[in-house]
């Protein structure tokens, strides 16, 4: 398998670094019971101490949950400097709205789903100021507003074609795997992306909703 998306380890590490740079000392984590959000949240928790952070609390919610007022009340009484909200698309808007309605002003960080139009519809102006982590897609060679998923597919396709061009004999599953494994960089119009341990290394950035 070759991964064309930042790993949970890299994303958790990156977020820990960004929280430290923002002056955060204590972070509360709210995650949905799903593989990717749990993996990223766990990696943030694991890396926290290395970056001078402490985890004030961890909350896990089910994918079907939409009433977060109990958690919001608990978060209001904590002394956390930030909340990492790593839940589903349909949950981000209601959570932010309920937390803000209770008077919680703590800085909220979330995943890239926070920028989805449906999240804005659910949270309205309360979403302003929420920060989220995503793949950096602001290359001059890419159309404005291109998504991380599009960049992922674009670079992964280049990796496949680049590897295919190095195969001199028959194209087989084994020859393609060998050719892919030999790639150390993907050259594209959007720039060059390193390949380490079968993972394309995408740059990440923190953005703020306004």
């Amino acid at each position: 398998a070759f991964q064309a998306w930042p790993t949970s380890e890299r994303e958790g590490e990156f977020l820990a670094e960004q929280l430290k740079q923002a002056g955060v000392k204590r972070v509360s984590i709210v995650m949905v019971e799903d593989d990717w959000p749990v993996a990223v949240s766990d990696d943030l928790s694991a890396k926290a101490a290395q970056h001078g952070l402490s985890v004030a609390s961890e909350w896990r919610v089910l994918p079907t949950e939409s009433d977060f007022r109990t958690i919001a009340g608990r978060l209001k009484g904590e002394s956390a400097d930030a909340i990492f909200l790593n839940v589903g698309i349909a949950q981000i808007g209601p959570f932010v709205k309920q937390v803000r309605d209770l008077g919680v002003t703590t800085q909220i960080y979330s995943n890239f789903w926070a920028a989805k139009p449906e999240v804005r519809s659910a949270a309205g102006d309360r979403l302003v100021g929420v920060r989220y982590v995503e793949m950096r897609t602001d290359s001059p060679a890419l159309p404005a507003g291109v998504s991380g998923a599009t960049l992922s597919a674009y670079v992964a396709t280049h990796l496949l074609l680049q590897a295919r061009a190095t195969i001199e004999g028959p194209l087989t599953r084994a020859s393609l795997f060998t050719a892919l494994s030999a790639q150390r960089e993907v050259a594209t119009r959007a720039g060059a992306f390193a390949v380490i341990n079968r993972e394309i290394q995408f740059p990440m950035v923190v953005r703020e909703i306004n």
Side-chain angles (χ1 to χ4, degrees):
F2 289 78
Q3 181 155 331
W5 196 266
T7 63
S8 60
E9 291 87 353
R10 284 191 64 228
E11 192 166 343
E13 175 87 19
F14 178 77
L15 183 56
E17 292 171 351
Q18 296 303 305
L19 290 173
K20 179 182 179 180
Q21 290 181 22
V24 171
K25 299 296 183 183
R26 288 167 55 81
V27 58
S28 294
I29 300 174
V30 182
M31 71 189 90
V32 65
E33 290 280 9
D34 192 83
D35 289 348
W36 172 60
V38 168
V40 173
S41 300
D42 285 349
D43 279 301
L44 168 61
S45 183
K47 300 290 186 182
Q50 298 178 23
H51 294 275
L53 306 172
S54 64
V55 178
S57 63
E58 286 190 3
W59 304 88
R60 296 196 180 206
V61 301
L62 297 174
T64 55
E65 288 188 55
S66 59
D67 187 344
F68 307 105
R69 287 173 294 182
T70 299
I71 297 176
R74 298 286 184 85
L75 291 173
K76 186 176 182 179
E78 291 180 354
S79 58
D81 305 305
I83 298 168
F84 178 44
L85 179 61
N86 202 10
V87 294
I89 296 176
Q91 295 175 305
I92 297 173
F95 186 98
V96 172
K97 185 176 184 299
Q98 291 167 34
V99 165
R100 294 306 190 218
D101 284 350
L102 279 177
V104 179
T105 59
T106 307
Q107 176 65 59
I108 295 175
Y109 288 78
S110 192
N111 55 52
F112 73 99
W113 288 332
K116 296 284 187 181
E118 54 266 45
V119 177
R120 170 75 80 168
S121 296
D125 290 342
R126 294 171 182 82
L127 201 65
V128 172
V130 170
R131 296 171 183 170
Y132 61 96
V133 175
E134 72 168 359
M135 291 163 57
R136 188 161 196 162
T137 60
D138 54 357
S139 166
L142 295 172
V146 68
S147 69
T150 299
L151 178 61
S152 170
Y154 172 72
V155 178
T157 301
H158 270 273
L159 174 63
L160 184 63
L161 294 174
Q162 182 175 291
R164 173 65 182 94
T166 67
I167 301 174
E168 297 181 357
L171 175 62
T172 65
R173 184 178 300 178
S175 67
L176 180 57
F177 178 79
T178 299
L180 282 167
S181 299
Q183 307 305 308
R184 295 293 177 265
E185 186 178 79
V186 190
T188 76
R189 289 178 58 192
F193 300 82
V195 181
I196 301 174
N197 296 327
R198 302 203 301 269
E199 297 168 0
I200 301 174
Q201 306 296 298
F202 290 97
M204 290 178 284
V205 66
V206 171
R207 302 196 187 280
E208 185 169 314
I209 297 174
N210 51 39

mmCIF file of all heavy atoms in Angstrom, residues 62-80:
data_model
loop_
_atom_site.group_PDB
_atom_site.id
_atom_site.type_symbol
_atom_site.label_atom_id
_atom_site.label_comp_id
_atom_site.label_asym_id
_atom_site.label_seq_id
_atom_site.Cartn_x
_atom_site.Cartn_y
_atom_site.Cartn_z
ATOM 1 N N LEU A 62 -20.212 9.135 19.904
ATOM 2 C CA LEU A 62 -20.623 8.236 18.834
ATOM 3 C C LEU A 62 -20.924 9.037 17.566
ATOM 4 O O LEU A 62 -21.288 10.210 17.641
ATOM 5 C CB LEU A 62 -21.861 7.444 19.251
ATOM 6 C CG LEU A 62 -21.678 6.506 20.445
ATOM 7 C CD1 LEU A 62 -23.021 5.885 20.842
ATOM 8 C CD2 LEU A 62 -20.668 5.412 20.129
ATOM 9 N N PRO A 63 -20.784 8.413 16.390
ATOM 10 C CA PRO A 63 -21.041 9.130 15.133
ATOM 11 C C PRO A 63 -22.468 9.659 15.020
ATOM 12 O O PRO A 63 -22.717 10.590 14.244
ATOM 13 C CB PRO A 63 -20.767 8.070 14.056
ATOM 14 C CG PRO A 63 -19.837 7.100 14.706
ATOM 15 C CD PRO A 63 -20.254 7.049 16.145
ATOM 16 N N THR A 64 -23.398 9.088 15.788
ATOM 17 C CA THR A 64 -24.796 9.505 15.701
ATOM 18 C C THR A 64 -25.151 10.618 16.684
ATOM 19 O O THR A 64 -26.264 11.153 16.637
ATOM 20 C CB THR A 64 -25.718 8.300 15.968
ATOM 21 O OG1 THR A 64 -25.367 7.708 17.236
ATOM 22 C CG2 THR A 64 -25.565 7.248 14.874
ATOM 23 N N GLU A 65 -24.247 10.969 17.581
ATOM 24 C CA GLU A 65 -24.554 11.971 18.611
ATOM 25 C C GLU A 65 -24.636 13.375 18.021
ATOM 26 O O GLU A 65 -23.852 13.743 17.151
ATOM 27 C CB GLU A 65 -23.499 11.939 19.722
ATOM 28 C CG GLU A 65 -23.607 10.712 20.618
ATOM 29 C CD GLU A 65 -22.693 10.801 21.817
ATOM 30 O OE1 GLU A 65 -22.777 11.790 22.555
ATOM 31 O OE2 GLU A 65 -21.880 9.871 21.997
ATOM 32 N N SER A 66 -25.593 14.147 18.550
ATOM 33 C CA SER A 66 -25.757 15.531 18.105
ATOM 34 C C SER A 66 -26.006 16.495 19.259
ATOM 35 O O SER A 66 -26.026 17.708 19.051
ATOM 36 C CB SER A 66 -26.919 15.631 17.101
ATOM 37 O OG SER A 66 -28.129 15.188 17.698
ATOM 38 N N ASP A 67 -26.220 15.968 20.457
ATOM 39 C CA ASP A 67 -26.429 16.811 21.640
ATOM 40 C C ASP A 67 -25.156 16.783 22.479
ATOM 41 O O ASP A 67 -24.835 15.777 23.108
ATOM 42 C CB ASP A 67 -27.613 16.305 22.458
ATOM 43 C CG ASP A 67 -27.975 17.253 23.603
ATOM 44 O OD1 ASP A 67 -27.133 18.118 23.949
ATOM 45 O OD2 ASP A 67 -29.078 17.123 24.160
ATOM 46 N N PHE A 68 -24.425 17.891 22.471
ATOM 47 C CA PHE A 68 -23.132 17.953 23.145
ATOM 48 C C PHE A 68 -23.146 18.901 24.339
ATOM 49 O O PHE A 68 -22.098 19.322 24.818
ATOM 50 C CB PHE A 68 -22.053 18.397 22.147
ATOM 51 C CG PHE A 68 -22.007 17.568 20.894
ATOM 52 C CD1 PHE A 68 -22.500 18.071 19.699
ATOM 53 C CD2 PHE A 68 -21.501 16.285 20.916
ATOM 54 C CE1 PHE A 68 -22.473 17.303 18.538
ATOM 55 C CE2 PHE A 68 -21.469 15.508 19.763
ATOM 56 C CZ PHE A 68 -21.956 16.023 18.572
ATOM 57 N N ARG A 69 -24.338 19.228 24.824
ATOM 58 C CA ARG A 69 -24.429 20.232 25.887
ATOM 59 C C ARG A 69 -23.774 19.779 27.188
ATOM 60 O O ARG A 69 -23.201 20.600 27.917
ATOM 61 C CB ARG A 69 -25.895 20.602 26.120
ATOM 62 C CG ARG A 69 -26.477 21.463 24.999
ATOM 63 C CD ARG A 69 -27.951 21.680 25.155
ATOM 64 N NE ARG A 69 -28.700 20.427 24.994
ATOM 65 C CZ ARG A 69 -30.023 20.337 25.039
ATOM 66 N NH1 ARG A 69 -30.746 21.432 25.243
ATOM 67 N NH2 ARG A 69 -30.614 19.168 24.881
ATOM 68 N N THR A 70 -23.840 18.479 27.488
ATOM 69 C CA THR A 70 -23.196 17.984 28.712
ATOM 70 C C THR A 70 -21.686 18.172 28.631
ATOM 71 O O THR A 70 -21.047 18.672 29.570
ATOM 72 C CB THR A 70 -23.523 16.501 28.944
ATOM 73 O OG1 THR A 70 -24.934 16.355 29.104
ATOM 74 C CG2 THR A 70 -22.817 15.984 30.190
ATOM 75 N N ILE A 71 -21.093 17.782 27.490
ATOM 76 C CA ILE A 71 -19.654 17.962 27.302
ATOM 77 C C ILE A 71 -19.301 19.443 27.302
ATOM 78 O O ILE A 71 -18.311 19.858 27.917
ATOM 79 C CB ILE A 71 -19.187 17.310 25.984
ATOM 80 C CG1 ILE A 71 -19.410 15.790 26.022
ATOM 81 C CG2 ILE A 71 -17.716 17.611 25.709
ATOM 82 C CD1 ILE A 71 -19.065 15.084 24.728
ATOM 83 N N ALA A 72 -20.133 20.249 26.648
ATOM 84 C CA ALA A 72 -19.875 21.687 26.590
ATOM 85 C C ALA A 72 -19.837 22.295 27.988
ATOM 86 O O ALA A 72 -18.986 23.132 28.300
ATOM 87 C CB ALA A 72 -20.944 22.378 25.745
ATOM 88 N N GLY A 73 -20.753 21.834 28.854
ATOM 89 C CA GLY A 73 -20.767 22.330 30.225
ATOM 90 C C GLY A 73 -19.510 21.961 30.982
ATOM 91 O O GLY A 73 -18.971 22.763 31.756
ATOM 92 N N ARG A 74 -19.025 20.745 30.755
ATOM 93 C CA ARG A 74 -17.780 20.309 31.410
ATOM 94 C C ARG A 74 -16.592 21.111 30.883
ATOM 95 O O ARG A 74 -15.700 21.494 31.653
ATOM 96 C CB ARG A 74 -17.556 18.819 31.153
ATOM 97 C CG ARG A 74 -18.647 17.919 31.721
ATOM 98 C CD ARG A 74 -18.564 17.794 33.226
ATOM 99 N NE ARG A 74 -19.537 16.866 33.740
ATOM 100 C CZ ARG A 74 -19.370 15.547 33.827
ATOM 101 N NH1 ARG A 74 -18.232 15.003 33.398
ATOM 102 N NH2 ARG A 74 -20.314 14.773 34.334
ATOM 103 N N LEU A 75 -16.573 21.351 29.569
ATOM 104 C CA LEU A 75 -15.471 22.102 28.979
ATOM 105 C C LEU A 75 -15.442 23.535 29.509
ATOM 106 O O LEU A 75 -14.372 24.124 29.671
ATOM 107 C CB LEU A 75 -15.600 22.118 27.451
ATOM 108 C CG LEU A 75 -15.375 20.778 26.736
ATOM 109 C CD1 LEU A 75 -15.713 20.914 25.256
ATOM 110 C CD2 LEU A 75 -13.944 20.298 26.909
ATOM 111 N N LYS A 76 -16.610 24.070 29.783
ATOM 112 C CA LYS A 76 -16.676 25.444 30.291
ATOM 113 C C LYS A 76 -15.979 25.571 31.645
ATOM 114 O O LYS A 76 -15.400 26.608 31.959
ATOM 115 C CB LYS A 76 -18.136 25.881 30.415
ATOM 116 C CG LYS A 76 -18.305 27.342 30.799
ATOM 117 C CD LYS A 76 -19.769 27.752 30.810
ATOM 118 C CE LYS A 76 -19.922 29.233 31.140
ATOM 119 N NZ LYS A 76 -21.341 29.657 31.139
ATOM 120 N N GLY A 77 -16.015 24.493 32.422
ATOM 121 C CA GLY A 77 -15.398 24.538 33.739
ATOM 122 C C GLY A 77 -13.930 24.180 33.754
ATOM 123 O O GLY A 77 -13.283 24.243 34.804
ATOM 124 N N GLU A 78 -13.390 23.790 32.600
ATOM 125 C CA GLU A 78 -11.970 23.429 32.536
ATOM 126 C C GLU A 78 -11.107 24.650 32.257
ATOM 127 O O GLU A 78 -11.576 25.683 31.798
ATOM 128 C CB GLU A 78 -11.750 22.385 31.439
ATOM 129 C CG GLU A 78 -12.364 21.034 31.763
ATOM 130 C CD GLU A 78 -12.133 20.011 30.665
ATOM 131 O OE1 GLU A 78 -11.599 20.393 29.602
ATOM 132 O OE2 GLU A 78 -12.494 18.853 30.871
ATOM 133 N N SER A 79 -9.836 24.491 32.519
ATOM 134 C CA SER A 79 -8.900 25.599 32.291
ATOM 135 C C SER A 79 -8.070 25.373 31.029
ATOM 136 O O SER A 79 -6.939 25.842 30.933
ATOM 137 C CB SER A 79 -7.975 25.751 33.497
ATOM 138 O OG SER A 79 -7.268 24.539 33.743
ATOM 139 N N ALA A 80 -8.626 24.656 30.061
ATOM 140 C CA ALA A 80 -7.889 24.385 28.827
ATOM 141 C C ALA A 80 -7.742 25.654 28.005
ATOM 142 O O ALA A 80 -8.609 26.541 28.015
ATOM 143 C CB ALA A 80 -8.608 23.308 28.022
#
